[in-house]
Amino acid sequence: SQQGEEDPQALSIQEGENATMNCSYKTSINNLQWYRQNSGRGLVHLILIRSNEREKHSGRLRVTLDTSKKSSSLLITASRAADTASYFCATDAPDDYKLSFGAGTTVTVRA
Amino acid sequence: DGGITQSPKYLFRKEGQNVTLSCEQNLNHDAMYWYRQDPGQGLRLIYYSQIVNDFQKGDIAEGYSVSREKKESFPLTVTSAQKNPTAFYLCATLDSPYGNQPQHFGDGTRLSIL
């Protein structure tokens, strides 16, 4: 079942600007992950944040997690045309080997 | 992901026909998953397998079947009972269900009805 919901559904920004997207979920989680999908391709893992972590960085990516609000955000700084893709959050529950994916945010970076 | 090979890339199914999608991995990962993705939507889990000779239904298993006879292979059969099979199918693997690991994905098979 899908428990993650991304917001906004679509985002269009100018190259060099920052892009922020949010993910909300309903039940307790073990980890929250963000993935990127280029058109017609598989998903690529970006970052994993554990339920006891509040913030994580990887290059131009910054992820925050607020378990009290059951929400996470992904910030892409200084965006590039190559960042054009769909971004999905995925959660897994304690003692569960399955991921639940949201519907994704489609990001378009204009040159 | 170079370690997961899905084939074919495109597949067409006639009415009443069963078709099989291939997923092969050389990552030596224990767990394998099949997802379905419809346009503009997220991934929905069809079947998953944690070890060889064992698999479990996901959220949308009706009309699909799988086998896990080898660690490297997890083929998905879309049967004629699946009345709306047109979708993008993704295979994924996981090193271990423990230890907070990400899933690794193949590049998908796009299935259409003739």
Side-chain angles (χ1 to χ4, degrees), chain A residues 64-85:
Chain A
T64 62
L65 178 64
D66 187 335
T67 53
S68 66
K69 295 181 180 177
K70 292 187 170 59
S71 68
S72 172
S73 68
L74 170 66
L75 167 68
I76 305 172
T77 60
S79 62
R80 305 167 182 168
D83 295 327
T84 294

Side-chain angles (χ1 to χ4, degrees), chain A residues 1-2 30-31 33 35 37 40-45 48 50 88 92 96-104, chain B residues 9 33 35 37 40-45 48 50 59 88 90 94 97-98 100-103 105-107 110:
Chain A
S1 59
Q2 297 194 315
N30 197 31
N31 304 296
Q33 304 180 38
Y35 289 82
Q37 183 181 34
R41 303 294 299 274
L43 275 67
V44 174
H45 180 257
L48 181 152
R50 301 181 187 189
F88 295 90
D92 63 61
D96 193 346
Y97 313 137
K98 300 176 290 185
L99 288 179
S100 293
F101 287 85
Chain B
K9 192 169 177 63
Y33 303 78
Y35 294 94
Q37 186 178 30
Q41 296 189 31
L43 278 63
R44 291 184 291 168
L45 183 63
Y48 66 105
Q50 296 170 32
D59 300 315
F88 190 50
L90 286 161
L94 180 65
Y98 312 99
N100 306 310
Q101 299 292 318
Q103 290 189 9
F105 285 81
D107 263 346
R110 190 167 298 280

Side-chain angles (χ1 to χ4, degrees), chain A residues 21 23 32-35 45-47 63 72-74 88-89:
Chain A
M21 60 210 85
C23 169
L32 187 141
Q33 304 180 38
W34 285 92
Y35 289 82
H45 180 257
L46 296 176
I47 201 161
V63 168
S72 172
S73 68
L74 170 66
F88 295 90
C89 69

Side-chain angles (χ1 to χ4, degrees), chain B residues 6-114:
Chain B
Q6 288 190 242
S7 62
K9 192 169 177 63
Y10 299 96
L11 187 57
F12 298 92
R13 195 192 87 169
K14 295 180 182 178
E15 289 287 338
Q17 186 182 42
N18 293 353
V19 292
T20 297
L21 284 61
S22 171
C23 178
E24 302 280 330
Q25 57 118 346
N26 62 5
L27 300 171
N28 200 35
H29 285 178
D30 287 325
M32 297 186 75
Y33 303 78
W34 274 107
Y35 294 94
R36 170 180 171 140
Q37 186 178 30
D38 291 283
Q41 296 189 31
L43 278 63
R44 291 184 291 168
L45 183 63
I46 306 173
Y47 268 99
Y48 66 105
S49 168
Q50 296 170 32
I51 56 171
V52 175
N53 293 322
D54 187 41
F55 50 83
Q56 286 80 39
K57 293 181 179 179
D59 300 315
I60 55 165
E62 186 173 349
Y64 300 97
S65 66
V66 293
S67 62
R68 186 88 187 273
E69 297 175 2
K70 299 185 300 183
K71 189 174 185 177
E72 312 82 60
S73 178
F74 191 40
L76 173 73
T77 296
V78 184
T79 74
S80 56
Q82 173 49 247
K83 297 305 179 189
N84 183 22
T86 297
F88 190 50
Y89 291 86
L90 286 161
C91 175
T93 68
L94 180 65
D95 187 9
S96 168
Y98 312 99
N100 306 310
Q101 299 292 318
Q103 290 189 9
H104 299 253
F105 285 81
D107 263 346
T109 292
R110 190 167 298 280
L111 176 61
S112 303
I113 294 183
L114 276 177

